[in-house]
Amino acid sequence: MVGDSDEGLVGSALDERRRWALDRSRLFDQEAERYDWYRPTYPDALIDDLLGSKPEGIHVLNVGCGTGIASRLMAGRGAKVLGVEVAPRMAEIARGPGIDVEVGPFEDWEPAGRTFDRVVSAQAWHWLDRAVATAKAASVLRPGGRLCLIWNAGSPPDDLADALAEVYASVLPPRVHTVFTGYAANRSTDRRSGFGLTSAAIAAVPDFDAPTEKWFEWTQTYHRDHWLEQLLSRSDHTALDPAVQEQLFEGIGAAIDDFGGSFAMNFETVLITATRLG
C-alpha cells in the first residue's frame, strides 16, 4: 500500500520527492476524465463514520480532492466542502457538481483565517510533505475537529494475482519504479501494510490526540476493459514507456480473459483519524 512511501527521505530528498509528486500530478491531470470515471469510490459506512451522525453543515477541507470523488459523497450528505487540488483539470471536474476548489499545493495553500470541522484527504496524503501537511491540518481545524486520511487498497483473487505477477515480471524493465498489479497492493497480504510514518507525523503534532485506524471491507467487479481503463488513471502505469505499457496491457488483458473476462477485486479501505485538541 502507498501510505508510507516516503520512508527514509530527509532534507533535499524531501524536496526532490515534492518535485516528483508534482510531476506525477501532471500525469493525473492528463487522465482527469478517466480518473473520474474509473477510480474506485469509498464505502458509505466510512463516509458516515467520518462525518458523524449530523453531517449537515459540517465544514470540510478536502486536501488533494482530485476530481471530487470523495467530495461528492460528503457534499451529498449535506457537508460544506472546500477542495484543494494541485492539478487544474482535475479541479475543474471537481467543480462540476458545484464544489468549490482552490488550485495549488496544500503545503503552500493560504487558509485566510478559515477553519474547518474536518480535514479530509482521500488517496492523496502520501504525495504531500507529511510533516508540513499534518501541522497545517492542525492549524486549520477547530477544537474537536478531525483529521481524516483515507486509502483504498485492493487485490484480485490469488490465481489471477499469480498470473498478473508473471505478466509484470516478464514485461517490466529492471529498476523500474514501483508498479502495483492490484490497486495499491499486489496480494491480499499487502492490503493492510503499515502506516507508521503517517501515525508518527500525527503524533509529532501536539495539537492532535493519538491517531486511530478503522478498516472497511468491500468488493467491486471489474471487467477486462474497465480494469485496463482504471490502470490508465494511475501514475505508476502512465509513467511507463509507451512501448512497455502497450506490451504490459496486452498481457494483463490476456490474463483476465483466461480468468473468464472479469474478476472481483477485494478492497480494504482504511480511515486514519485524529482529533484536534483544545
Side-chain angles (χ1 to χ4, degrees):
M1 205 162 164
V2 295
D4 278 350
S5 57
D6 63 356
E7 185 171 5
L9 297 179
V10 294
S12 62
L14 280 172
D15 293 336
E16 180 62 30
R17 175 172 172 76
R18 187 173 178 186
R19 287 192 291 271
W20 176 75
L22 288 171
D23 287 342
R24 286 297 182 94
S25 76
R26 296 184 183 98
L27 295 176
F28 288 131
D29 219 29
Q30 292 168 13
E31 300 293 345
E33 288 81 4
R34 183 177 275 116
Y35 188 106
D36 195 51
W37 275 100
Y38 293 104
R39 280 296 183 107
T41 186
Y42 302 99
D44 285 338
L46 182 150
I47 302 298
D48 292 339
D49 188 295
L50 182 159
L51 293 176
S53 60
K54 296 180 179 180
E56 295 83 2
I58 285 179
H59 288 82
V60 177
L61 179 66
N62 190 4
V63 177
C65 68
T67 59
I69 295 172
S71 294
R72 292 193 294 268
L73 296 173
M74 294 184 288
R77 288 163 168 78
K80 297 180 178 179
V81 181
L82 172 65
V84 177
E85 172 54 46
V86 71
R89 176 56 186 150
M90 297 185 85
E92 182 181 345
I93 293 174
R95 292 188 185 108
I99 294 167
D100 291 332
V101 183
E102 298 178 9
V103 176
F106 178 60
E107 297 93 333
D108 302 330
W109 173 74
E110 177 52 61
R114 291 169 291 183
T115 58
F116 301 87
D117 302 299
R118 302 287 187 275
V119 173
V120 177
S121 185
Q123 216 73 27
W125 201 251
H126 56 284
W127 295 112
L128 307 181
D129 181 325
R130 189 177 280 102
V132 172
T134 305
K136 191 162 195 172
S139 74
V140 300
L141 276 168
R142 298 163 184 161
R146 297 167 68 198
L147 172 65
C148 301
L149 308 179
I150 305 167
W151 282 277
N152 279 328
S155 61
D158 288 343
D159 289 350
L160 180 56
D162 290 340
L164 291 173
E166 292 181 8
V167 171
Y168 280 75
S170 67
V171 174
L172 293 182
R175 296 181 297 278
V176 73
H177 60 268
T178 300
V179 184
F180 289 108
T181 59
Y183 190 89
N186 296 314
R187 295 181 174 278
S188 58
T189 52
D190 301 336
R191 295 198 299 259
R192 293 200 181 194
S193 59
F195 287 89
L197 290 178
T198 298
S199 296
I202 296 171
V205 178
D207 290 326
F208 281 124
D209 72 354
T212 62
E213 292 182 14
K214 190 170 184 178
W215 292 85
F216 300 80
E217 298 182 1
W218 55 290
T219 61
Q220 180 169 333
T221 298
Y222 284 97
H223 296 276
R224 174 188 187 276
D225 291 345
H226 189 177
W227 180 250
L228 293 176
E229 290 284 351
Q230 183 276 142
L231 292 179
L232 287 171
S233 77
R234 287 167 36 185
S235 66
D236 59 345
H237 285 73
T238 55
L240 294 170
D241 178 84
V244 171
Q245 185 190 100
E246 181 179 2
Q247 185 180 359
L248 179 64
F249 277 38
E250 288 178 0
I252 294 169
I256 297 173
D257 286 341
D258 290 344
F259 198 75
S262 64
F263 63 95
M265 177 69 76
N266 297 307
F267 280 99
E268 293 185 82
T269 304
V270 66
L271 172 62
I272 300 177
T273 62
T275 300
R276 173 68 158 82
L277 303 174

